[in-house]
C-alpha cells in the first residue's frame, strides 16, 4: 500500500541534500550489516560473469564497485548529482582499472530508463520502495523489457519502517514475483531485508553448468 509523503516533496532535491551533508548517509562502507548484505547479494547472482549490468540508484558507488568486478560493462545511475559524483570519485580513486568499464549517469527512475538497452544483469537495491504503485509497475515493465535473454534481475530492500518509504518491501517484491516470464531462482529473507533473484531463464545454476 502506498503511503503519502509531504506535499511538495522533491526526491531529487531530498537525495541531493542528503549526499551533500554526508557522503555515506547509510554507512554502507562502514557497517557490517551493509557489507554482509552486499556480499550476500553478490553471492546469490547465478552467473560468475556478466556482459552488461545496470544499477539504478547507485548511491555512493559501493555496490557499483563490486559489480564492476563481475561485469564487462556497468551502467550506474542515480537521481542525485552528488551521488553520481561520489560514485565516480570512489571508482577513480580506489578501482581505476574497473572505472574504465563503468558509465555513470544522473537519471531518475523509471522515467529516464535507458531506452533500447539490453542488460543481462539488473540490480534494484534500496530504491523501489520510494516509488508509488504506478511508478513501481512502470519500473517492472522497464526491467522486463530491458532484460536480455537469460538475464538476471536482483532486488534487495530494507524491511523496517522509515519516514520516506512509500511502499512496503514485501509488496514491492510480490509485484515482481507475479511477473510472467520471470522465474524466481532464490529468496533470502531476514527480519531486516528481503533479497530476491529472478531470471528470464528457469534453469538453475547447476543446470546452466550441465550438472543437473
Amino acid at each position: 500500500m502506498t503511503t503519502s509523503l509531504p506535499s511538495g516533496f522533491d526526491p531529487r532535491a531530498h537525495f541531493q541534500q542528503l549526499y551533500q551533508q554526508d557522503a555515506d548517509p547509510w554507512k554502507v562502507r562502514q557497517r557490517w550489516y551493509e557489507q554482509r548484505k552486499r556480499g550476500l547479494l553478490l553471492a546469490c547472482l547465478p552467473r560468475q560473469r556478466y556482459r552488461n549490468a545496470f544499477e539504478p540508484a547507485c548511491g555512493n558507488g559501493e555496490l557499483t564497485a563490486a559489480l564492476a568486478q563481475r561485469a564487462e560493462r556497468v551502467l550506474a545511475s542515480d537521481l542525485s548529482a552528488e551521488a553520481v559524483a561520489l560514485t565516480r570519485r570512489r571508482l577513480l580513486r580506489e578501482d581505476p582499472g574497473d572505472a574504465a568499464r563503468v558509465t555513470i549517469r544522473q537519471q531518475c527512475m523509471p522515467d529516464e530508463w535507458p531506452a533500447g538497452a539490453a542488460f543481462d544483469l539488473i540490480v534494484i537495491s534500496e530504491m523501489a520502495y520510494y516509488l508509488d504503485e504506478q511508478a513501481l509497475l512502470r519500473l517492472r515493465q522497464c526491467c522486463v523489457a530491458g532484460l536480455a535473454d537469460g538475464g538476471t534481475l536482483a532486488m534487495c530492500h530494507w524491511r523496517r519502517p522509515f519516514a520516506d518509504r512509500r511502499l512496503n518491501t514485501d509488496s514491492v517484491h510480490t509485484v515482481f514475483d507475479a511477473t510472467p516470464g520471470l522465474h524466481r531462482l532464490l529468496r533470502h529473507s531476514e527480519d531486516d531485508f528481503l533479497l530476491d533473484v529472478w531470471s528470464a531463464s528457469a534453469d538453475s545454476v547447476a543446470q546452466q553448468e550441465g550438472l543437473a
Side-chain angles (χ1 to χ4, degrees), residues 162-173:
F162 65 97
D164 298 333
R165 174 193 290 281
R166 300 197 71 182
L167 292 172
N168 173 274
T169 285
D170 288 55
S171 298
V172 167
H173 285 234

Side-chain angles (χ1 to χ4, degrees), residues 146-193:
L147 201 61
D149 290 343
T152 302
L153 170 62
M155 294 186 72
C156 187
H157 291 93
W158 174 246
R159 272 178 148 165
R160 307 285 187 178
F162 65 97
D164 298 333
R165 174 193 290 281
R166 300 197 71 182
L167 292 172
N168 173 274
T169 285
D170 288 55
S171 298
V172 167
H173 285 234
T174 296
V175 166
F176 279 77
D177 216 23
T179 306
L182 284 183
H183 307 273
R184 195 211 293 168
L185 299 183
L186 66 88
R187 165 164 288 186
H188 179 86
S189 175
E190 299 188 11
D191 290 343
D192 298 321
F193 70 93

Side-chain angles (χ1 to χ4, degrees), residues 192-208:
D192 298 321
F193 70 93
L194 183 61
L195 167 63
D196 277 309
V197 177
W198 297 273
S199 175
S201 168
D203 290 345
S204 70
V205 177
Q207 287 172 322
Q208 291 176 21

